[in-house]
Amino acid sequence: MKKIFIPILSALFIFSLVGCTTGGAKQEETSKQEKVENVTKAVNNVDMKIEKVEMKENGKGDKNIMQLTMHFKNESGSKYGIGGNDFILKSSDKTYQVKSDANNIGTEIAPGKTATGALNFELPKDVKTGELVYQPVTSGKEKSKALATWEISLPNNK
């Protein structure tokens, strides 16, 4: 029994390594196509990372909808709220807010937990690059300030 079990286990291990290697190559190729600064930024002990960028036409044909999929990990000792309105996109001299009628992230992340969600921006078709800015909404007279930024080259506009 042991003579059969060890070779089978070894073969499974080799095949699992081959699968991991192929998946890594696909992941790297996709990242190059999207041209996103795929860097994790830490703000208040919360890791933030852009996972994916997609472009779609808005249905009217005059603008594009850019959807960013973001991943968050709360490394702090308390709950942390993330909302779509905490992000803006700057391109040239214009600033774009998240699309208010889209399904944008809005959640509270418990300590040690993760969350993934989308940010949707409606952009003119001529926008090719931008800077995603995490600028949490503040209350009262306090002015909100940029806490993290990512450089983005938008995938082929539709």
Side-chain angles (χ1 to χ4, degrees):
M1 182 75 167
K2 285 184 181 179
K3 291 180 182 181
I4 295 173
F5 182 67
I6 292 175
I8 291 173
L9 188 61
S10 298
L12 287 174
F13 179 73
I14 290 171
F15 285 121
S16 67
L17 287 179
V18 169
C20 291
T21 304
T22 305
K26 284 184 182 178
Q27 179 79 16
E28 188 174 292
E29 186 178 2
T30 302
S31 297
K32 287 179 184 175
Q33 288 176 341
E34 293 171 351
K35 297 178 185 168
V36 174
E37 183 184 343
N38 205 7
V39 177
T40 300
K41 308 280 181 151
V43 177
N44 299 325
N45 290 325
V46 176
D47 293 340
M48 303 178 184
K49 184 177 182 180
I50 299 172
E51 288 189 334
K52 185 168 62 169
V53 179
E54 294 179 277
M55 281 300 242
K56 299 173 186 167
E57 199 171 69
N58 70 347
K60 298 176 189 173
D62 60 340
K63 294 185 179 180
N64 286 324
I65 305 290
M66 178 184 68
Q67 183 177 65
L68 297 166
T69 303
M70 300 281 298
H71 181 77
F72 305 92
K73 183 175 183 184
N74 186 354
E75 302 275 350
S76 74
S78 60
K79 294 178 182 177
Y80 196 84
I82 293 286
N85 289 330
D86 293 333
F87 293 87
I88 59 173
L89 184 76
K90 293 181 178 182
S91 181
S92 300
D93 59 343
K94 303 230 179 190
T95 300
Y96 302 96
Q97 304 294 327
V98 292
K99 192 169 176 353
S100 60
D101 60 349
N103 189 13
N104 297 302
I105 189 166
T107 190
E108 194 171 72
I109 308 167
K113 299 293 181 182
T114 63
T116 301
L119 301 171
N120 295 278
F121 294 91
E122 189 170 46
L123 306 171
K125 290 193 173 238
D126 63 343
V127 174
K128 305 285 185 214
T129 61
E131 181 180 63
L132 179 68
V133 180
Y134 175 62
Q135 186 171 315
V137 176
T138 57
S139 60
K141 295 179 181 180
E142 187 179 333
K143 187 175 179 179
S144 61
K145 55 186 170 187
L147 301 179
T149 60
W150 294 263
E151 294 297 322
I152 301 173
S153 291
L154 283 64
N156 294 330
N157 286 354
K158 302 287 179 193

